[in-house]
Amino acid sequence: MSKILEMINITKCFPGVMANDNVTLAVEAGEVHSLLGENGAGKSTLMNVLCGLYRPTFGSIRLDGEEVKFSSARDAMARGIGMVHQHFMLIPTMTVLDNCLIGAKDAGKFVLDRKTTAEKLTELIEKYDMKVDLNAKVGSLSVGQRQRVEIIKVLYRGARILILDEPTAVLTPQETLELFEMIRSLTEHNFTVLFISHKLNEVKEISDKVTVLRQGCVTGTYKTDDCSVEDLARLMVGREIDLSVKRAEREKGEILLDVKNLSLKNAEDQKRLLEDICFDVREGEILGVAGVDGNGQSELVECLTGMQVASSGEIVYKGQNLRKMKTREIMSNGISHIPQDRQKTGLIMPMTLVENFALQDYYREEFGKSVYLNWAAVTEHSKKLIKDFSIKTPSELELAQNLSGGNQQKVIIAREISRHPELLIAMHPTRGLDVGAIEYIHQQLVEQRNKGIGILLVSTELEEIMKLSDRIIVMYEGKIMGTVKPSDITIEEMGLMMGGQALESIRAKKAV
Amino acid sequence: MGVLNSISSYIATDIRMAAPILLAGLGLLLVNWSGLLYIGAEGTMLISAFAAVAGSFYLGSVWAGLLFGMIAGALFGLIFAFLTVTLRANQTVVGVALNVLGASLSATLNRVIFGVETTIAKIDTFETMAIPGLSKIPVIGPAFFNHMPIVYLAFLMVPLISFFLFRTQQGLNLRSVGENPRVSDTLGINVYRTRYTASILGNMIIGIGGAFLSTGLLNFFTEDMVSGRGYIALAAVIFGKYKPAGVMLAAMIFMAGNVVSNILQVSGAAIPYTFLTMIPYVLTIVALVVFASRAVAPNALGKPYKRG
């Protein structure tokens, strides 16, 4: 096989940071080549160099042995390199066809030739069996279908090398399988796929070769068949890591939070955002809420924390109904909340850590009386939390925005856990963090559970949910598809529930 | 026959009065579809109305006046694009500033050039151009085919701009920039250049509307003569759901209010004159209240774009 693409000694410096340090990557035609690395390892930078968005500080790129220089995404596209971005580059109000036509360059054509384009696209769709309606508005398509549109768009523009940037992040397990089939069918037709991911299992499954990046450097390129998942994890993180969690089995605790028939309607169009949600959280258990992003999880947490008032139903906690209570009342009742977006709703980025630590409890007597804040007490408290939770920061007066993502998340967790809650609501607590930080946060959550605290854990990472939860509920379009124990369920069944099938109907089908 | 003739003349008036609003609305449409929120149409129309009179006065031709009006509009478009696209200033604030600039600059230049006397400088103006044959059809002829050239131009631009926006590559690119500039950028479209072009061309068309006010509907310039038409155009765009035909319909409906008020004034109804002249504006407000929430604006409208 010939080398279709070589990136030789690529170095990319940003002010103060070396994002890529002497990276060399060789890709053969027709293979699936994974780029594995943690967040911030330099995967995206390298791909942005390849598709013309960045220019390398040093180094060269060779296509079919010929040296090339790209100054824009269009240059790279013209040479057959197409990128499918993690956040889809599609316009929801336009049709699939029009989305493929935006910016098309058919040699000076003024009037759109929708008919010819539609024929060409239909050919592509049939060849790779992609099942997309060209005249549908993109906004009406599912996430999986949108991704297919992105791939079609790139193919239509003549890509031979496809870069897929974290393509499975938004997909259900079934959609992921479909994507993998599509990738295989593409490589059979001699397309080359660069697959960027930090998910070890997927990399192991789909790729022929894998290049591991760590802190901007290549740790090596390996044949996937020669490496185990554990090997890959070690290569990616640079040390042995323990992917398992130690959990003590516990007696069934008392019911702490009892949610009954909770419903929420959108005020504008009366659309049901939550429908008849029923579940309970017990002392000393982690209840996982699984589901693809945007299926009512945010709304559920907002209702529980008083940021929205549910239209009907009850939220019973310690004998009180929380449904119409204000956030402050709920939070002062022994409930803590790790919000879904640490930078938008978890912290105030331009404030110091001391101020951020004080946000939740500034009104309590230990931190000040009447209008005065007792800065000495707050600072003392902050110093203690920074030490206890080993938060890496030059001082407690550092601004929150200057911390790394993992340390920002630790600040929130320290703040919320130090309030000694009885119920902890955690939403996407590890989103976008590196393996080390994830490990730490998982330990913290399990430790709290073992202490007898009830935890509601909302996450879109299926592995995380399966690993940590005592019980799991799966949400789809504002409804609960089933409540299960992780030991009683397969990943496949989870995937079907995340795609909108109720547990009973799945089991009933199996029985037949 | 008398009733039919009056109806015919009412329609003719409606069309004539709607033309400047239609032009301003179509210009705004181009600017808006590129994702720029421009509320300075009033200012553009004022400066163009003045420039058209000055051009016609100095060069002795109303067409030269029109050219002046278009250049003045284009300059406003350039200023707006520079401030909001290159410097990423707040689009609403710059729009307000250009309204103030248009009003005061046109008034100042008018006093400098024509003085404050009450006599009106004689200038060349647009004249009606009957379409041979068609204008002879009874009732329909005088209503639709006996107008000034700019009126025909305005209504001809409706299908043209519609075709451009929805049937051409450039139109699709323009709309994609208004919906999501980052998408356009990844597909090799120059977002900044697209927005500059839309702002300049759009304001040129708004300028034609302004020029027509002072050299077509009237034959002189007075301070604040646009009297809110720029804002009515803004409303027409929303009411017309960002589609050229919709804008045309809206302009016609709003100005029909004007015709109604004229009829009532002439018929000597016992309603004070000031209330009657309010009709088109009240109609605009009502239309906006009822329809504004249903309008589908381009997604990136009013949001500045920064590369990288």
Side-chain angles (χ1 to χ4, degrees):
Chain A
M1 277 214 266
S2 60
K3 295 220 172 17
I4 187 168
L5 167 75
E6 287 169 280
M7 298 182 82
I8 302 160
N9 302 336
I10 299 284
T11 298
K12 175 70 190 174
C13 301
F14 292 110
V17 194
M18 201 182 257
N20 284 152
D21 185 2
N22 216 10
V23 170
T24 295
L25 175 72
V27 182
E28 284 171 12
E31 72 175 0
V32 180
H33 195 117
S34 283
L35 217 51
L36 179 70
E38 299 194 70
N39 292 297
K43 293 170 296 186
S44 301
T45 308
L46 188 66
M47 287 304 107
N48 281 334
V49 167
L50 179 57
C51 74
L53 290 172
Y54 294 156
R55 281 186 215 193
T57 316
F58 300 108
S60 58
I61 302 173
R62 280 190 203 163
L63 274 179
D64 293 323
E66 180 197 344
E67 188 158 333
V68 286
K69 279 201 163 63
F70 301 137
S71 57
S72 76
R74 181 170 264 177
D75 285 358
M77 193 68 248
R79 296 302 303 263
I81 297 174
M83 176 129 169
V84 173
H85 295 262
Q86 189 178 1
H87 304 284
F88 298 147
M89 292 293 172
L90 295 169
I91 294 174
T93 51
M94 292 185 184
T95 62
V96 173
L97 180 58
D98 279 4
N99 266 289
C100 293
L101 273 167
I102 297 169
K105 276 251 162 167
D106 274 344
K109 264 190 198 149
F110 180 66
V111 179
L112 285 175
D113 191 353
R114 287 198 169 97
K115 202 165 156 256
T116 318
T117 312
E119 281 165 12
K120 282 186 198 161
L121 288 171
T122 312
E123 221 170 90
L124 279 175
I125 290 172
E126 280 168 6
K127 192 167 173 190
Y128 303 110
D129 194 24
M130 298 212 233
K131 300 188 201 96
V132 172
D133 176 9
L134 284 179
N135 295 314
K137 289 249 164 78
V138 167
S140 69
L141 302 180
S142 72
V143 177
Q145 286 172 316
R146 286 185 208 197
Q147 190 168 56
R148 264 174 262 163
V149 175
E150 278 282 28
I151 294 174
I152 292 168
K153 198 168 92 177
V154 174
L155 292 178
Y156 172 66
R157 274 155 209 273
R160 292 175 303 144
I161 302 175
L162 280 86
I163 307 169
L164 306 180
D165 188 6
E166 303 270 358
T168 60
V170 289
L171 301 182
T172 64
Q174 270 75 18
E175 285 174 325
T176 304
L177 286 182
E178 281 174 35
L179 174 73
F180 283 0
E181 260 166 45
M182 204 185 305
I183 291 177
R184 288 193 190 103
S185 135
L186 285 169
T187 49
E188 272 166 30
H189 288 87
N190 214 28
F191 285 97
T192 308
V193 175
L194 274 163
F195 185 87
I196 305 173
S197 182
H198 65 266
K199 292 188 185 169
L200 302 166
N201 293 329
E202 289 175 358
V203 167
K204 173 88 179 125
E205 186 183 341
I206 189 67
S207 43
D208 303 306
K209 275 196 206 139
V210 51
T211 294
V212 184
L213 281 177
R214 192 167 72 223
Q215 289 168 355
C217 305
V218 172
T219 15
T221 299
Y222 310 91
K223 280 206 162 136
T224 321
D225 291 340
D226 300 345
C227 304
S228 67
V229 170
E230 287 71 26
D231 292 338
L232 290 175
R234 200 179 49 246
L235 289 165
M236 179 164 89
V237 186
R239 60 183 168 84
E240 289 291 340
I241 52 165
D242 187 3
L243 290 171
S244 64
V245 216
K246 285 164 201 73
R247 290 196 327 187
E249 278 309 315
R250 284 183 60 95
E251 294 286 303
K252 224 175 181 186
E254 294 290 307
I255 290 181
L256 196 59
L257 177 78
D258 196 1
V259 176
K260 295 176 191 163
N261 303 92
L262 197 71
S263 293
L264 176 70
K265 277 187 198 157
N266 189 342
E268 274 167 33
D269 54 9
Q270 294 299 305
K271 202 180 148 205
R272 280 177 170 269
L273 300 171
L274 293 175
E275 212 172 320
D276 264 337
I277 299 284
C278 299
F279 65 87
D280 55 48
V281 182
R282 290 165 187 271
E283 286 173 355
E285 79 162 349
I286 297 180
L287 180 73
V289 180
V292 179
D293 220 358
N295 274 293
Q297 298 98 317
S298 322
E299 287 81 2
L300 174 65
V301 168
E302 283 176 4
C303 287
L304 295 180
T305 52
M307 282 147 72
Q308 283 206 52
V309 177
S311 330
S312 62
E314 277 182 77
I315 305 168
V316 184
Y317 170 76
K318 287 190 188 169
Q320 314 171 70
N321 189 351
L322 301 184
R323 182 165 78 92
K324 287 187 175 165
M325 279 202 197
K326 293 201 172 68
T327 304
R328 164 81 62 92
E329 291 176 82
I330 295 172
M331 292 295 151
S332 58
N333 249 318
I335 296 181
S336 274
H337 176 205
I338 298 169
Q340 57 174 320
D341 187 329
R342 58 181 163 271
Q343 305 200 336
K344 282 187 188 142
T345 43
L347 297 170
I348 300 181
M349 301 302 280
M351 283 193 181
T352 66
L353 295 189
V354 173
E355 287 165 321
N356 272 295
F357 278 128
L359 281 178
Q360 184 76 277
D361 289 307
Y362 66 91
Y363 55 87
R364 288 196 353 224
E365 226 164 69
E366 54 196 283
F367 295 133
K369 281 183 184 143
S370 71
V371 298
Y372 294 103
L373 255 184
N374 184 349
W375 283 112
V378 181
T379 308
E380 203 48 51
H381 178 64
S382 306
K383 280 185 178 160
K384 184 171 178 296
L385 291 184
I386 289 169
K387 191 163 156 272
D388 289 354
F389 288 82
S390 44
I391 297 165
K392 272 188 206 149
T393 170
S395 91
E396 70 280 2
L397 292 174
E398 189 63 41
L399 303 183
Q401 64 199 23
N402 297 338
L403 266 58
S404 71
N407 280 300
Q408 288 172 353
Q409 193 69 349
K410 278 186 186 176
V411 170
I412 298 174
I413 287 174
R415 181 179 76 202
E416 298 302 326
I417 290 180
S418 66
R419 306 174 66 235
H420 305 296
E422 286 165 62
L423 177 68
L424 176 64
I425 299 171
M427 192 156 186
H428 308 314
T430 60
R431 183 176 270 184
L433 299 183
D434 58 49
V435 176
I438 291 175
E439 201 184 355
Y440 178 85
I441 285 164
H442 284 175
Q443 278 167 7
Q444 284 290 336
L445 290 176
V446 172
E447 200 175 293
Q448 294 302 313
R449 164 198 175 271
N450 293 345
K451 274 191 204 161
I453 290 171
I455 299 178
L456 185 76
L457 171 70
V458 181
S459 174
T460 48
E461 298 284 338
L462 206 46
E463 280 175 42
E464 175 170 281
I465 291 270
M466 297 286 268
K467 196 165 85 182
L468 295 179
S469 312
D470 296 284
R471 286 186 302 148
I472 302 171
I473 57 176
V474 184
M475 286 186 75
Y476 175 76
E477 292 193 342
K479 283 177 277 202
I480 290 182
M481 291 292 118
T483 309
V484 290
K485 281 193 167 175
S487 51
D488 302 344
I489 188 110
T490 63
I491 290 272
E492 191 202 352
E493 286 171 320
M494 284 292 286
L496 289 171
M497 286 200 280
M498 285 162 74
Q501 295 190 34
L503 182 64
E504 300 92 68
S505 75
I506 299 170
R507 291 265 154 99
K509 262 185 217 160
K510 260 199 178 164
V512 169
Chain B
M1 234 11 222
V3 177
L4 281 181
N5 279 338
S6 334
I7 290 175
S8 163
S9 102
Y10 291 145
I11 293 175
T13 311
D14 189 20
I15 288 176
R16 194 170 65 243
M17 299 292 289
I21 290 170
L22 176 55
L23 284 163
L26 292 175
L28 278 173
L29 213 54
L30 287 186
V31 186
N32 286 344
W33 269 117
S34 79
L36 294 174
L37 178 67
Y38 186 55
I39 61 164
E42 184 86 1
T44 306
M45 288 178 90
L46 273 167
I47 198 72
S48 296
F50 169 76
V53 169
S56 180
F57 177 74
Y58 283 117
L59 298 177
S61 156
V62 68
W63 293 101
L66 179 67
L67 188 68
F68 271 50
M70 287 167 71
I71 292 171
L75 278 175
F76 263 49
L78 182 66
I79 297 172
F80 182 68
F82 177 71
L83 291 173
T84 59
V85 178
T86 306
L87 301 182
R88 285 191 291 280
N90 182 303
Q91 296 173 15
T92 311
V93 173
V94 175
V96 170
L98 286 179
N99 274 333
V100 177
L101 179 69
S104 43
L105 191 63
S106 61
T108 308
L109 289 175
N110 186 46
R111 288 182 204 179
V112 169
I113 292 173
F114 297 105
V116 282
E117 298 124 63
T118 44
T119 52
I120 292 160
K122 182 125 183 63
I123 57 162
D124 185 28
T125 55
F126 285 108
E127 279 165 30
T128 54
M129 189 178 87
I131 309 259
L134 291 173
S135 61
K136 294 287 184 289
I137 306 170
V139 184
I140 294 173
F144 295 101
F145 301 110
N146 193 16
H147 283 289
M148 289 177 246
I150 301 293
V151 177
Y152 299 128
L153 174 73
F155 283 85
L156 214 63
M157 273 172 73
V158 173
L160 285 181
I161 290 189
S162 196
F163 184 84
F164 171 75
L165 280 176
F166 301 102
R167 291 268 181 276
T168 68
Q169 183 70 57
Q170 293 303 321
L172 178 67
N173 292 357
L174 174 75
R175 285 189 294 132
S176 76
V177 170
E179 289 282 356
N180 190 336
R182 193 161 300 278
V183 170
S184 320
D185 208 355
T186 59
L187 297 172
I189 296 169
N190 188 330
V191 174
Y192 293 170
R193 192 167 66 205
T194 307
R195 288 193 164 171
Y196 261 90
T197 313
S199 178
I200 291 169
L201 285 181
N203 271 284
M204 228 182 225
I205 299 173
I206 300 172
I208 302 178
F212 180 66
L213 285 178
S214 61
T215 58
L217 290 184
L218 293 170
N219 55 2
F220 54 85
F221 176 84
T222 61
E223 291 171 19
D224 281 327
M225 68 180 300
V226 178
S227 61
R229 285 182 180 85
Y231 298 108
I232 294 185
L234 222 66
V237 169
I238 296 168
F239 183 72
K241 296 191 169 169
Y242 297 85
K243 303 243 161 54
V247 175
M248 177 177 81
L249 195 72
M252 301 273 293
I253 291 175
F254 293 162
M255 283 304 108
N258 210 333
V259 174
V260 170
S261 101
N262 284 347
I263 297 172
L264 289 174
Q265 280 176 51
V266 173
S267 68
I271 309 167
Y273 149 82
T274 37
F275 279 97
L276 292 177
T277 50
M278 275 166 58
I279 291 178
Y281 302 93
V282 172
L283 212 59
T284 308
I285 292 172
V286 170
L288 273 187
V289 170
V290 177
F291 290 96
S293 61
R294 288 178 225 168
V296 201
N299 225 324
L301 191 61
K303 293 176 195 151
Y305 179 64
K306 190 169 181 284
R307 283 200 79 170

